[in-house]
Amino acid sequence: MAVNAGKSVLHRPLVLMLLTLAIAVAGAIGWLYLDYQRFLRTPLALDSEGRNLEVRPGQSLSGLAWQLHEEGLLAHPRYLALLGRISGEAGRIQAGEFHIPAGATPGQLLQILTSGRVVQYPVTLIAGWTIQQLRAHLAEQPFLDHTLDGVDDAELMQRLERPGQHPEGWFLPDTYHFPRGTRDIVVLRRALQAMERHLEQNWERRRPDLPLDSPYEALILASIVEKETGIPEERARIAGVFVRRLERGMRLQTDPTVIYGMGDAFDGNIRRRDLRTDTPYNTYTRGGLPPTPIALPSAEAVTAVMHPAAGEALYFVSRGDGSHVFSATLQEHNRAVRRYQLNRP
């Protein structure tokens, strides 16, 4: 009896030690659980605008977590990796640039990184631009992958699978959206395909008696209408004037084509001698349409050419405010020129 009592006394410290250890472990686990739950509820340390986060191809969630931690945005990188393993999303994060909004929690961050909804940047092509202006604009976009430096227009169209085609006018003005790293030629390809679709659809629904032999001729005329139009409501009327002149064999006599033919020689002023200097684009010295478009026509300009407004006007002159005076006779036109261009009664 005495021996057993001694053994019982000896076991008590061990039991107490094990009990204390168990309580400590349970407390630690409980603390870690509560800390993990706090982590899940705590937003990342982002400013009010949030931030864009770029995930490199092959980058792991753990590596990304430590990157965010080093940037002071995430308090516990191991917890984010743990969340990824528990949810099964760790291996599903995608490469690309993602926008993380202010107030995003770790769980929301993980949802964004696995969503595939990468940041899209706008590229706006402006109606009336020449191909040189368009290419210069693309070259200024920092998020694009620039592959066309030193590539001439002929090689550009070769890469776009339109060999031998002049690039002027073929890219539909609009705002397109692309992720970071998109090649510049991808932008041009999308705009080219959009213009081809729009041109084909409108050509099929065109007024049947138009004095135009092909969709390309319509594109050429649409580019002239675009450059002559000051207010959108006049596109169809201006198109009507040019269509009637073509029908009657009259020269188009439009200044924008002359300016385009002058190239770098144009200094901002067009003079009488410029109107008399013959170039393939001078519609004062040559009949019919110029050989190519002279700018990017808007979708509306293409539609206006396919459905020009009816009327008798064969001339128009600018009032100086974007609108025009339309005239059916040369006598009426000359009066309008004296009033609005020469400031004579």
Side-chain angles (χ1 to χ4, degrees):
M1 294 294 294
V3 172
N4 289 336
K7 289 181 178 180
S8 177
V9 171
L10 291 173
H11 288 163
R12 287 175 184 171
L14 179 60
V15 170
L16 290 173
M17 182 178 67
L18 292 175
L19 182 59
T20 302
L21 180 60
I23 293 172
V25 170
I29 292 174
W31 181 87
L32 287 172
Y33 175 78
L34 293 175
D35 194 46
Y36 178 68
Q37 293 300 316
R38 280 194 298 270
F39 166 78
L40 295 180
R41 295 191 301 269
T42 303
L44 279 70
L46 301 171
D47 59 29
S48 60
E49 297 181 355
R51 66 158 288 178
N52 289 353
L53 176 64
E54 187 168 2
V55 181
R56 301 185 302 275
Q59 188 173 19
S60 68
L61 179 61
S62 178
L64 186 62
W66 280 103
Q67 174 188 323
L68 294 174
H69 176 67
E70 291 170 0
E71 294 178 10
L73 304 179
L74 187 71
H76 300 290
R78 290 188 178 88
Y79 283 169
L80 183 61
L82 175 63
L83 174 62
R85 288 195 295 272
I86 292 173
S87 65
E89 303 286 358
R92 296 186 59 244
I93 66 170
Q94 301 187 34
E97 185 179 13
F98 300 87
H99 180 70
I100 314 301
T105 63
Q108 292 169 334
L109 168 66
L110 199 55
Q111 290 176 358
I112 292 170
L113 298 181
T114 57
S115 69
R117 295 191 296 270
V118 296
V119 174
Q120 299 280 328
Y121 290 89
V123 179
T124 300
L125 311 188
I126 303 298
W129 274 356
T130 63
I131 184 62
Q132 286 78 16
Q133 290 172 307
L134 169 56
R135 294 187 62 174
H137 178 67
L138 294 185
E140 294 172 350
Q141 305 310 305
F143 65 89
L144 292 178
D145 179 12
H146 300 287
T147 65
L148 298 176
D149 294 344
V151 174
D152 63 20
D153 288 346
E155 174 62 20
L156 168 65
M157 298 310 285
Q158 181 76 30
R159 294 188 185 187
L160 288 170
E161 301 176 355
R162 305 294 188 277
Q165 188 167 289
H166 196 285
E168 197 69 79
W170 272 113
F171 306 95
L172 185 67
D174 202 348
T175 296
Y176 304 87
H177 293 84
F178 301 91
R180 181 178 294 278
T182 298
R183 290 179 298 140
D184 45 12
I185 197 166
V186 172
V187 179
L188 292 176
R189 182 174 290 113
R190 185 183 296 181
L192 170 63
Q193 292 170 347
M195 178 61 87
E196 288 177 335
R197 286 194 302 270
H198 183 71
L199 191 62
E200 179 181 356
Q201 291 167 0
N202 278 268
W203 181 254
E204 292 174 354
R205 298 192 294 264
R206 73 190 184 280
R207 200 184 80 185
D209 60 344
L210 289 179
L212 303 170
D213 294 331
S214 67
Y216 189 57
E217 287 193 354
L219 184 69
I220 294 172
L221 185 54
S223 73
I224 298 173
V225 170
E226 186 64 53
K227 294 299 288 185
E228 285 282 19
T229 301
I231 57 177
E233 295 79 9
E234 290 187 349
R235 283 194 182 98
R237 294 187 69 187
I238 290 174
V241 169
F242 288 132
V243 165
R244 284 186 289 275
R245 293 180 75 92
L246 289 173
E247 289 172 336
R248 301 185 186 197
M250 300 173 66
R251 293 177 181 176
L252 296 184
Q253 295 184 322
T254 172
D255 292 357
T257 61
V258 177
I259 292 170
Y260 186 85
M262 293 172 65
D264 293 337
F266 180 63
D267 61 3
N269 294 309
I270 187 167
R271 302 169 178 84
R272 188 177 298 275
R273 67 172 180 269
D274 299 322
L275 302 181
R276 293 195 297 262
T277 301
D278 184 54
T279 74
Y281 292 88
N282 191 333
T283 52
Y284 286 86
T285 61
R286 301 194 182 195
L289 295 166
T292 74
I294 60 172
L296 301 181
S298 64
E300 294 79 9
V302 171
T303 301
V305 164
M306 304 297 190
H307 303 279
E312 300 297 327
L314 294 171
Y315 309 88
F316 58 87
V317 63
S318 173
R319 287 191 176 95
D321 61 359
S323 66
H324 294 85
V325 175
F326 293 83
S327 304
T329 68
L330 182 59
Q331 184 179 15
E332 293 174 357
H333 177 64
N334 287 337
R335 284 201 298 267
V337 169
R338 286 195 296 271
R339 177 176 180 184
Y340 293 102
Q341 298 292 308
L342 304 177
N343 294 318
R344 297 177 184 172

